[in-house]
């Protein structure tokens, strides 16, 4: 497995070692020991999520508030997604900044999203299968989010009118968000 640090401290992309043969391919999609060795990060992963989207669906930008904040390990098992992570750690020098990572099932890459970051993705193909591990359980009372097209975030999603849930359509802008991170 190779890792790539991104511009936002703590956000790490991993590309696993893939074994191919005449039958197809095999790779370890998660190995706690290898993860800790490579990233120096020790996490207790407690929940796996499986998210299926049609092309043009945008989910985000989401997070859970402390004490139920989640780190996530995200990947695409079928299709491609433009994954976006926004730094919402109030004292961070990169507060409000984002990174975009193309998660492609054919590249097998995955992304570690630490606590203190808002997360979202745009499904670029139909039957998009987005899988991710979380370090805390779903706690709906702690759900938070930011508006996907907040001009202050300046995120170029590459689309004008994604398919956004009614809940996501009314998420606040960064200026109206008082970060507890
Ligand atoms: C997240 C979650 C949702 N649900 C239920 C609640 C709703 O009845 C239904 C859909 O939930 P929601 O519309 O919040 O799903 P997404 O819009 O995909 O939310 C996720 O999208 C972005 C990309 C994230 O990073 C978060 O993990 C998460 O917020 O699943 C659960 O039962 N458990 C869960 O962990």
């Amino acid at each position: 497995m190779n890792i790539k640090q991104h511009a936002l401290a703590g956000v790490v992309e991993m590309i696993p070692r893939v074994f191919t043969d005449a039958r197809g391919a095999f790779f370890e999609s998660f190995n706690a020991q290898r993860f800790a060795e490579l990233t120096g990060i020790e996490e207790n992963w407690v929940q796996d999520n499986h998210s299926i989207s049609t092309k043009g669906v945008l989910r985000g930008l989401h997070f859970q508030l402390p004490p139920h904040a989640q780190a996530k390990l995200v990947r695409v098992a079928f299709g491609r997604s433009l994954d976006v992570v926004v730094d919402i750690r109030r004292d961070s020098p990169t507060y409000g900044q984002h990174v975009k990572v193309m998660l492609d099932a054919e590249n097998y890459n995955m992304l570690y999203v630490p606590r203190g970051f808002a997360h979202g993705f745009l499904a670029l193909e139909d039957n998009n299968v987005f899988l991710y591990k979380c370090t805390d359980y779903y706690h709906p009372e702690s759900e938070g989010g930011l508006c996907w097209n907040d001009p202050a975030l300046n995120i170029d999603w590459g689309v004008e009118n994604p398919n956004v849930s009614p809940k996501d359509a009314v998420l606040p802008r960064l200026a109206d968000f008082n970060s507890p991170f």
Side-chain angles (χ1 to χ4, degrees):
M1 180 177 285
N2 296 317
I3 63 170
K4 174 182 175 184
Q5 302 288 349
H6 279 271
L8 299 181
V11 178
V12 183
E13 182 179 0
M14 285 148 278
I15 299 89
R17 183 181 177 190
V18 181
F19 301 90
T20 57
D21 60 29
R23 299 166 299 169
F26 176 93
F27 70 101
E28 293 182 3
S29 54
F30 178 70
N31 180 310
Q33 186 176 33
R34 291 290 293 147
F35 178 82
E37 284 171 357
L38 280 170
T39 64
I41 300 165
E42 299 270 358
E43 293 288 9
N44 178 35
W45 303 99
V46 297
Q47 179 177 314
D48 280 1
N49 292 339
H50 186 123
S51 175
I52 303 166
S53 301
T54 54
K55 181 176 179 180
V57 164
L58 192 156
R59 298 174 185 256
L61 297 155
H62 301 158
F63 49 87
Q64 286 195 172
L65 298 166
H68 300 282
Q70 297 167 314
K72 297 166 189 168
L73 184 58
V74 302
R75 68 188 179 99
V76 169
F78 188 86
R80 291 181 306 130
S81 291
L82 181 64
D83 203 76
V84 174
V85 179
V86 179
D87 188 349
I88 55 175
R89 299 167 299 182
R90 64 170 69 214
D91 297 328
S92 168
T94 56
Y95 178 79
Q97 295 182 31
H98 70 277
V99 291
K100 294 192 296 185
V101 178
M102 184 65 73
L103 296 177
D104 187 332
E106 294 184 1
N107 295 337
Y108 308 99
N109 61 329
M110 53 191 82
L111 192 69
Y112 172 73
V113 181
R115 299 162 186 80
F117 288 79
H119 174 249
F121 68 88
L122 172 69
L124 297 173
E125 295 168 9
D126 277 328
N127 303 313
N128 179 283
V129 178
F130 194 92
L131 307 179
Y132 53 111
K133 307 182 80 70
C134 301
T135 58
D136 205 320
Y137 296 105
Y138 177 55
H139 194 265
E141 298 78 13
S142 301
E143 281 195 303
L146 292 175
C147 177
W148 66 276
N149 61 349
D150 180 354
L153 300 179
N154 193 29
I155 301 170
D156 180 5
W157 293 93
V159 293
E160 292 296 322
N161 298 298
N163 179 357
V164 175
S165 70
K167 179 176 75 171
D168 288 355
V170 296
L171 289 172
R173 292 189 172 190
L174 185 67
D176 301 320
F177 171 61
N178 182 21
S179 176
F181 292 100

